[in-house]
Amino acid sequence: MRFATRVVLVQLATVVTVVAVCVLVFVLLGVQQLRAEAETSALSIARTIAVDPQVRGEVADISADPGTPRGSELRGGDLQRLATAVTARTGTLFVVITDDHGIRLAHPDPALLGQQVSTDFRDVLAGKEVVTWQEGTLGVSARAKVPIWPPDADGVRPADGSPVGEVSVGFEPSSVFDDLPALIGAVAAAAGAGILLAALAGLIVRRRWERLTLGLQPEELVALVQNQAAVLDGVGDGVVALDGAGTVRLCNEAARRMLQLTDPGGRTLEGLGVPPAVAAAAREGTAGDGIVVGERVLYVDAQPVRHGGEELGTVLIVRDRTDVVALSERLDTVRSMTGALRVQRHEFANRLHVAAGLLDAGRHGEAREFLGEQLSRGPVDYPVEGIDRIGDTLLHALIGAHALEAGERGVRVSVDPDSLLLAPLVEVEDVAAVLGNLVGNAVRAAVHGDEPRHVQIGCFGDGHDLVLTVADSGPGVAADADLFAPARPGASDVDRVHGLGVGLPLSRELARRHGGDVWLIDPGGSAGRGAVFGARLHGVLGDAPEESSDRRDPTA
């Protein structure tokens, strides 16, 4: 049996039990009330008869006679006629009048007149009123017994007299409880209506329960929660579940960390202040890549959730692509260096062909002179003015590779005349990523500028810190532009190459990992002068070599 059905049955059984107890109590209270009403009516009638002056006078006269009255004399007496009239008028079972010895002076059965009553009358003749249920010659009845006091001059009870008789009035049970069937019927009808309403409410609750739980039982819900916790806490991706109104119903720790959320439950994404691109992806059920949140580059994918043809909401999958993008930047740098090396290899092969041609032609002297010239020139030169101011071979090759690519786009790359770097690099990857991104942005900006198009790189050593500056001849950037924010919808290409994308936020994160930073030095914008960016990378340089004697000697 399904849990919802068991709940409904338990609820219905509880309601039936409560209603049954209430009906029983109500019926008992009704019976008690009917008994009390019958006793009160009997007492009121008996009191009325007992204070009647005629009754008091005749009973006092009969009680004063030492003899016992005969029944034949009492049958046509005033007391018998009065009792019969009261019985007919009030619907009582009997009205009995006795003297001070309990001899019946009036009774519904004339044959019993002149005989002593069958029930105890001593308490009444002692001056007490008695209300009780007793069984007499006419059966069980609710009866009230009231003493009859002798009359005085004022017609009221004397202060020191004794009762001269009693009046007993009784109602038979059938007349007392004649309203009980109607009462029980009304109570039963109300109880049945209550049980019916409880059953309908139980069915409605059951249907609502199964609708809310999608037909799952508690055991299945427990297993589902356990599996959900295991899955959500066991994966590195962030998961955010939204209901149909866009309210966050579930958010695992990875999503909180990546989206920088605090207590997201029960709030909308807009209310949590997530980037507009994330909110748009959740709202439209699309995917978004390259979304920068803080120092992270995220990929967001929104998928609608349906069950039984009903839209339940949206699940947002968030993946941290910071390391992937950083690796991509480094791979681009390696690719540039590989291209530069391929150009060097090609140029070196051409020089060897020249030397081999001179040797084959027997021009040994010219071949020796050519090889000597190449030996003095060293490796193939990069088309970068002032590159000899940079002593590190890897940085030398990195700038040269970017210069070769920039030359293909009509941009000249040079090294700032004030640059001087003697110490070698010890952290090549992050330096290559940051410098490659800044130079790539500068080249793209220069392409949009006027002739002559150029990019100037400054490299400076500050202890073990590397300080870089990159200037371009592009159109510059707006003074109010947030260069390290994610790309805005509708941003122009010129804006994007200056940092409204992924590269600059990522470069800043890489620099800050080493205790450094990336910032805008000058937004530029004047004729022939573009933006200037600066970067400091902490602890990426080794110890600088000691200067040779030629460098120490000013005359050298």
Side-chain angles (χ1 to χ4, degrees):
M1 184 182 296
R2 299 175 67 86
F3 179 79
T5 303
R6 294 200 301 269
V7 170
V8 171
L9 293 179
V10 170
Q11 178 185 358
L12 189 59
T14 303
V15 171
V16 170
T17 303
V18 171
V19 169
V21 172
C22 292
V23 168
L24 179 60
V25 172
F26 194 85
V27 169
L28 292 177
L29 291 177
V31 170
Q32 186 71 19
Q33 183 178 2
L34 292 175
R35 288 170 60 97
E37 290 179 355
E39 293 171 355
T40 302
S41 298
L43 181 61
S44 298
I45 295 172
R47 284 176 176 174
T48 302
I49 297 173
V51 297
D52 184 87
Q54 180 182 358
V55 173
R56 295 175 67 181
E58 292 191 13
V59 172
D61 293 342
I62 296 174
S63 297
D65 187 355
T68 301
R70 290 180 295 179
S72 58
E73 297 176 355
L74 297 173
R75 290 190 185 97
D78 294 335
L79 294 179
Q80 178 67 12
R81 287 195 300 270
L82 186 147
T84 303
V86 172
T87 301
R89 186 169 60 250
T90 59
T92 58
L93 176 63
F94 60 85
V95 174
V96 176
I97 301 174
T98 70
D99 62 6
D100 56 352
H101 292 88
I103 302 301
R104 298 184 181 97
L105 305 179
H107 194 277
D109 186 0
L112 299 178
L113 292 175
Q115 300 180 16
Q116 193 177 47
V117 294
S118 60
T119 58
D120 188 13
F121 56 88
R122 287 173 296 179
D123 290 339
V124 181
L125 293 181
K128 299 178 182 178
E129 292 182 345
V130 178
V131 179
T132 183
W133 284 71
Q134 286 183 332
E135 182 177 0
T137 58
L138 298 178
V140 177
S141 62
R143 60 185 65 190
K145 299 178 181 181
V146 176
I148 300 174
W149 300 93
D152 56 7
D154 298 328
V156 297
R157 170 184 172 181
D160 55 352
S162 299
V164 294
E166 71 167 353
V167 176
S168 177
V169 178
F171 286 92
E172 60 180 340
S174 60
S175 64
V176 172
F177 300 117
D178 56 355
D179 293 333
L180 188 60
L183 177 63
I184 294 177
V187 172
I195 294 174
L196 180 60
L197 289 176
L200 292 176
L203 293 177
I204 293 174
V205 170
R206 178 178 180 273
R207 184 174 181 180
R208 179 64 174 170
W209 173 290
E210 293 190 345
R211 184 177 180 181
L212 290 176
T213 62
L214 304 179
L216 298 177
Q217 300 304 301
E219 301 82 6
E220 298 171 322
L221 291 175
V222 172
L224 184 63
V225 171
Q226 293 173 343
N227 295 336
Q228 171 186 289
V231 171
L232 293 181
D233 295 337
V235 298
D237 293 344
V239 179
V240 181
L242 309 172
D243 61 13
T247 304
V248 177
R249 295 304 179 190
L250 182 145
C251 182
N252 67 348
E253 185 60 32
R256 289 190 181 95
R257 183 178 65 255
M258 288 186 280
L259 294 176
Q260 299 181 354
L261 303 179
T262 302
D263 192 19
R267 302 167 64 186
T268 61
L269 292 179
E270 290 79 1
L272 292 170
V274 300
V278 177
R283 183 173 56 256
E284 300 169 4
T286 58
D289 198 1
I291 300 175
V292 179
V293 179
E295 297 180 351
R296 300 180 183 274
V297 181
L298 305 180
Y299 169 80
V300 177
D301 185 16
Q303 295 292 336
V305 179
R306 299 180 179 87
H307 181 80
E310 181 182 359
E311 292 281 351
L312 300 181
T314 304
V315 172
L316 203 64
I317 305 298
V318 184
R319 295 187 178 93
D320 189 351
R321 300 194 63 184
T322 305
D323 295 334
V324 175
V325 175
L327 181 59
S328 177
E329 294 282 344
R330 295 171 181 173
L331 290 177
D332 289 341
T333 302
V334 173
R335 190 179 297 109
S336 299
M337 295 180 65
T338 302
L341 291 175
R342 185 165 53 249
V343 172
Q344 281 190 332
R345 177 181 176 278
H346 181 70
E347 182 64 22
F348 186 72
N350 290 337
R351 294 182 184 184
L352 289 180
H353 284 306
V354 172
L358 291 174
L359 292 174
D360 290 341
R363 300 162 64 178
H364 302 286
E366 296 180 12
R368 181 178 295 277
E369 182 181 354
F370 176 78
L371 291 174
E373 180 184 354
Q374 300 304 315
L375 181 62
S376 63
R377 290 179 57 188
V380 179
D381 293 332
Y382 290 106
V384 180
E385 180 182 349
I387 198 171
D388 55 343
R389 295 179 176 84
I390 300 175
D392 184 78
T393 305
L394 292 175
L395 193 58
H396 193 283
L398 176 63
I399 295 176
H402 282 287
L404 291 175
E405 289 188 350
E408 295 177 357
R409 304 182 65 178
V411 179
R412 179 176 58 86
V413 177
S414 63
V415 175
D416 192 312
D418 295 332
S419 297
L420 180 61
L421 183 64
L422 302 177
L425 292 177
V426 294
E427 295 286 345
V428 181
E429 292 83 1
D430 290 340
V431 174
V434 173
L435 180 60
N437 185 269
L438 293 178
V439 173
N441 285 350
V443 170
R444 286 192 293 271
V447 171
H448 292 84
D450 299 330
E451 294 285 352
R453 301 181 177 93
H454 65 86
V455 172
Q456 190 175 70
I457 303 172
C459 297
F460 309 92
D462 184 10
H464 292 285
D465 293 354
L466 173 63
V467 181
L468 301 172
T469 61
V470 179
D472 62 70
S473 60
V477 297
D480 58 347
D482 188 0
L483 303 176
F484 298 93
R488 298 190 306 266
S492 65
D493 293 337
V494 178
D495 290 335
R496 288 183 182 278
V497 300
H498 280 105
L500 297 182
V502 177
L504 281 178
L506 178 61
S507 298
R508 169 174 279 182
E509 181 195 355
L510 293 176
R512 287 179 174 177
R513 287 181 180 179
H514 294 278
D517 203 355
V518 176
W519 67 96
L520 176 66
I521 297 176
D522 185 0
S526 60
R529 187 169 65 88
V532 181
F533 286 87
R536 173 181 286 271
L537 299 167
H538 179 69
V540 298
L541 296 179
D543 295 327
E546 295 184 2
E547 296 182 347
S548 63
S549 58
D550 291 339
R551 287 185 178 272
R552 290 193 299 269
D553 186 358
T555 62

